[in-house]
Amino acid sequence: MSKFWSNELNKLKPYVPGEQSNQIIIKLNTNENPYSTTHNVKKVLKNFSIDNLKLYPDPDSKKLKIAIAKKFNINYYEIFLGNGSDEVLALAFLTFFRNNIPIIIPDITYSFYTVYCKLYNIKYKLVPLNNNWEVDLTAMNQKNGGIVFANPNAPTGNAHKKSSIIKLLSDQKEHVILIDEAYVDFGSESTISLIHKYPNLLIIKTLSKSYSLAGIRIGFAIGSKQLIDGLKIIKNSFNSYTINSISSAVALSAIKDEKYFNKNCIAIIYTREKIQFALENRKFELLYSKSNFIFVKPINISAVKLFIKLRKLGILVRYFSNKKLKKFLRISIGTELNMNKFIKNIDYLIIN
Amino acid sequence: MSKFWSNELNKLKPYVPGEQSNQIIIKLNTNENPYSTTHNVKKVLKNFSIDNLKLYPDPDSKKLKIAIAKKFNINYYEIFLGNGSDEVLALAFLTFFRNNIPIIIPDITYSFYTVYCKLYNIKYKLVPLNNNWEVDLTAMNQKNGGIVFANPNAPTGNAHKKSSIIKLLSDQKEHVILIDEAYVDFGSESTISLIHKYPNLLIIKTLSKSYSLAGIRIGFAIGSKQLIDGLKIIKNSFNSYTINSISSAVALSAIKDEKYFNKNCIAIIYTREKIQFALENRKFELLYSKSNFIFVKPINISAVKLFIKLRKLGILVRYFSNKKLKKFLRISIGTELNMNKFIKNIDYLIIN
């Protein structure tokens, strides 16, 4: 508290990111990719002309947009880039949701969404997940000033049927429907192909997870030109140059190495399926994940106890003290090797 | 315009950054540093472990803060880092100025300040420069919800007396006084030493100009712990990880090379003094600049005509069509070599 703070500030509870720790041997708590990005990035950094750094970056990052557009078979002006998908989300909330009609958000999802609402005084309404712990797109199909959900959802990890999303898009055309596809590359289906049919559809993506590039902070939105143009006005009223020159070059090289990207995603999916099977065999309850993490409920031990025991062994997973989530742990998918070690430690802990 | 945009959006006029062009031979329009950053940055990029990029950066960028704290002889918790000083400014306006009392801004200054006000519906009052084209700190010493000015000012380039700043700080203790020191390293005096006496003083700095690092997007604020803590709450409600890992490592290496930094600043100051003298001899009116740019009024030709003629010769300077500024050109200080060419072209144009 300080007399120099705005009133809003005293009420804000910021998002709390997962712990970053040096004492951890196996880090499975922040949904990072356990594998390195393409080796081409090494060459980019080695050959980068430091003389360029004296200049401001291209405020439109056009080269990178053209590469992304090519990958998704869209136009470069249907892309908005940001300093991580969190920034893209923050600017999207500011651009589209200050309309005094509550926006609809699932009650269990990425917790940053409601933080943005509080930051900007945006009204929102939480809709509970259904009995299968799925985002209830039917219940969310109601009067709204905007709709926000993640596909797959976090921290539950499950994906939604494309038909349910299309039903929602067909019924709700007055305000922006924002779908956060941060985890979509791990086996579920993107809705990018729908942007030309639904001009109010905004899709958020990131290079942090599937491209192993959480460190460079590049996220983007894909949507109709009118949505992207709106985002650009807000961004240019906030910070003209949000994408630094080095991250832009790194991202470009990673986007172009489609083969490495696919191999990396397949490795995660393979390990995830194995680990889900192994945990089911050890009597964990789990939701069927399409993400690079799994959301599991241990049966013979409480989640918090297991979290603490794993931590003592140098294995960090994510525990949420929130009432609805406290029976679960969210476990990021690590390397095949580390996940085998993880299972061995689980066996050791459950026996002891 | 789009039905999906918020009402505020339709009224916003974003900041327009200086033109980035490939057809230009001598670029003197965006106040970039004409010299490269320290060569140590090359080593940082060459040796950067790309494996680190799969992980999120340290959300607090503590290593970099410690290096900055050492340089300025302050504590690391008196520093707030952002994705360029524009982001730091944008977040500072959101943190401190939503209090319904108009903030005070000079009528001629960095044009982004009023853009932030419009973005966040912050009330503001413009105070004209005095007859010497100086920020009128005496007139600005009035009831306020905050005070914002740049020292040196932009685009005028002149610096303020420390005694006038101290008088203002002594009289106005209720709200934040934000001093943008983006250009302070080119020969004027910082007020950093005053932060322990005045807990409402917030100083904004950047690596874009004096460190030749516009491309990496690192800016920072320095102030009392209570101000920095407020900024952190807003930042963590907006984007947990605003500083990417590579820019952070590059910045650290540049901050540590104090010798190169000093040499670079001295070179700019030397050229600026020479160019001011040369233009005075050619009957240009000029304000006495303490920045890496000069603000000049050509006498025998209009500013816009000279701007166009220079552009045809491949020399880009900044022209503002704004009524009060349209008689002036803002010229960034380039290399010694390029500024000699610039003067030769001026001679050629004035004769022809």
Side-chain angles (χ1 to χ4, degrees), chain A residues 188-232:
Chain A
S188 64
E189 199 180 353
S190 172
T191 46
I192 289 179
S193 61
L194 301 175
I195 62 160
H196 295 122
K197 190 160 181 195
Y198 303 102
N200 62 328
L201 170 61
L202 190 73
I203 296 158
I204 311 291
K205 299 181 75 79
T206 177
L207 301 190
S208 296
K209 316 291 182 184
S210 51
Y211 283 90
S212 311
L213 286 172
I216 68 164
R217 316 305 303 123
I218 299 278
F220 52 100
I222 289 179
S224 62
K225 187 172 182 297
Q226 58 181 305
L227 296 192
I228 300 304
D229 285 350
L231 280 165
K232 279 162 82 173

Side-chain angles (χ1 to χ4, degrees), chain A residues 27-39:
Chain A
K27 190 170 177 299
L28 307 173
N29 71 322
T30 47
N31 297 345
E32 287 145 334
N33 197 310
Y35 301 109
S36 280
T37 189
T38 163
H39 204 73

Side-chain angles (χ1 to χ4, degrees), chain B residues 223-271:
Chain B
S224 62
K225 187 172 181 298
Q226 58 181 306
L227 297 193
I228 300 304
D229 285 350
L231 280 166
K232 279 162 82 174
I233 292 177
I234 290 291
K235 177 262 203 181
N236 288 324
S237 301
F238 174 79
N239 186 1
S240 308
Y241 307 99
T242 52
I243 308 295
N244 75 86
S245 306
I246 309 175
S247 291
S248 188
V250 166
L252 185 65
S253 117
I255 292 275
K256 284 185 174 171
D257 195 348
E258 187 83 6
K259 201 172 150 190
Y260 182 87
F261 165 77
N262 287 330
K263 202 181 114 193
N264 192 331
C265 291
I266 288 166
I268 301 287
I269 294 168
Y270 172 80
T271 306

Side-chain angles (χ1 to χ4, degrees), chain B residues 14-27:
Chain B
Y15 175 75
V16 180
E19 185 181 354
Q20 301 289 351
S21 168
N22 296 327
Q23 267 91 61
I24 292 304
I25 304 155
I26 305 181
K27 190 170 176 299

Side-chain angles (χ1 to χ4, degrees), chain A residues 56-283:
Chain A
Y56 283 94
D58 169 14
D60 202 36
S61 309
K62 201 161 168 184
K63 264 194 201 169
L64 180 54
K65 283 186 186 168
I66 288 171
I68 295 172
K70 197 176 161 197
K71 176 182 160 102
F72 293 112
N73 197 24
I74 53 173
N75 301 299
Y76 80 88
Y77 52 76
E78 290 162 337
I79 299 165
F80 174 82
L81 284 163
N83 185 31
S85 63
D86 284 344
E87 182 182 82
V88 179
L89 285 164
L91 296 176
F93 274 63
L94 191 54
T95 308
F96 302 116
F97 298 146
R98 291 192 293 177
N99 54 29
N100 277 318
I101 314 169
I103 66 168
I104 311 289
I105 304 176
D107 70 337
I108 291 175
T109 189
Y110 185 34
S111 56
F112 226 136
Y113 303 147
T114 51
V115 175
Y116 300 133
C117 292
K118 287 169 192 154
L119 180 64
Y120 301 128
N121 294 317
I122 293 166
K123 290 178 190 135
Y124 64 93
K125 184 172 167 181
L126 299 179
V127 170
L129 298 191
N130 69 20
N131 291 336
N132 299 323
W133 285 77
E134 292 161 346
V135 172
D136 194 339
L137 295 181
T138 310
M140 288 173 75
N141 196 341
Q142 57 172 282
K143 183 172 167 14
N144 66 82
I147 296 176
V148 174
F149 62 95
N151 184 32
N153 193 30
T156 51
N158 44 14
H160 322 311
K161 279 191 203 132
K162 200 164 178 180
S163 57
S164 315
I165 297 176
I166 290 173
K167 168 81 175 117
L168 187 70
L169 286 164
S170 309
D171 289 351
Q172 300 295 342
K173 299 188 169 179
E174 287 307 303
H175 294 283
V176 167
I177 298 188
L178 185 157
I179 307 182
D180 185 347
E181 292 192 352
Y183 300 104
V184 84
D185 297 326
F186 301 107
S188 64
E189 199 180 353
S190 172
T191 46
I192 289 179
S193 61
L194 301 175
I195 62 160
H196 295 122
K197 190 160 181 195
Y198 303 102
N200 62 328
L201 170 61
L202 190 73
I203 296 158
I204 311 291
K205 299 181 75 79
T206 177
L207 301 190
S208 296
K209 316 291 182 184
S210 51
Y211 283 90
S212 311
L213 286 172
I216 68 164
R217 316 305 303 123
I218 299 278
F220 52 100
I222 289 179
S224 62
K225 187 172 182 297
Q226 58 181 305
L227 296 192
I228 300 304
D229 285 350
L231 280 165
K232 279 162 82 173
I233 292 177
I234 291 292
K235 177 262 203 182
N236 288 324
S237 302
F238 174 79
N239 186 0
S240 308
Y241 307 99
T242 52
I243 308 295
N244 74 85
S245 306
I246 309 175
S247 291
S248 189
V250 166
L252 185 65
S253 117
I255 292 274
K256 284 186 175 172
D257 195 348
E258 188 84 5
K259 201 172 150 190
Y260 183 87
F261 165 77
N262 287 331
K263 201 181 115 194
N264 191 333
C265 291
I266 288 166
I268 302 287
I269 294 169
Y270 172 81
T271 306
R272 178 189 70 211
E273 296 304 306
K274 259 185 68 175
I275 198 87
Q276 294 208 124
F277 186 73
L279 288 176
E280 268 188 321
N281 280 340
R282 280 155 184 82
K283 309 277 179 232

Side-chain angles (χ1 to χ4, degrees), chain B residues 112 183 252 332 349:
Chain B
F112 226 137
Y183 301 103
L252 185 65
S332 308
L349 288 175

